Amino acid sequence: MMCIKHGTGVRFALTMWCALCTFLPMDHNPFDVRALRDRIGWTQDRLARFLGVDRSSISRMENGQALSGPVRRLLALLTEAADNGTADALCPEHQVAAE
């Protein structure tokens, strides 16, 4: 990926431990949250559980609300996992206990 503001040659790796490019304006949303959620087949509830927010926050994010730094880092991690086909391992679905 490239820095959106400085698109010429500023490259950085998105990993669990690195921050997003500091040149990226805080009000800019580099993620299409709904498209990512649809791509990995998660419900709003499951994504909310992964991000540690409530479902209504997911709805607001999908409608353009600015993302906080921690949420952006988790979405970057989720995007990387989706690219590798391992997104489901990050947040397993709730299992219904068999009786």
Side-chain angles (χ1 to χ4, degrees):
M1 292 178 70
M2 296 184 86
C3 173
I4 292 172
K5 185 175 180 183
H6 302 93
T8 56
V10 178
R11 294 188 177 271
F12 56 97
L14 295 176
T15 66
M16 183 167 45
W17 303 113
C18 75
L20 292 173
C21 176
T22 57
F23 298 114
L24 194 61
M26 287 304 291
D27 62 342
H28 178 76
N29 183 354
F31 299 100
D32 183 339
V33 177
R34 181 174 288 129
L36 174 60
R37 186 174 61 77
D38 288 344
R39 184 174 134 202
I40 60 178
W42 284 14
T43 63
Q44 285 185 338
D45 289 325
R46 187 172 180 186
L47 182 57
R49 192 165 27 95
F50 173 72
L51 295 176
V53 299
D54 56 66
R55 193 200 52 75
S56 63
S57 295
I58 299 300
S59 180
R60 287 191 299 272
M61 289 176 206
E62 290 182 347
N63 288 302
Q65 176 186 15
L67 305 174
S68 68
V71 166
R72 289 169 29 155
R73 286 187 291 278
L74 284 169
L75 287 173
L77 178 66
L78 185 57
T79 299
E80 186 176 306
D83 292 343
N84 296 328
T86 58
D88 285 334
L90 294 176
C91 184
E93 291 194 66
H94 284 302
Q95 300 279 332
V96 177
E99 294 187 29

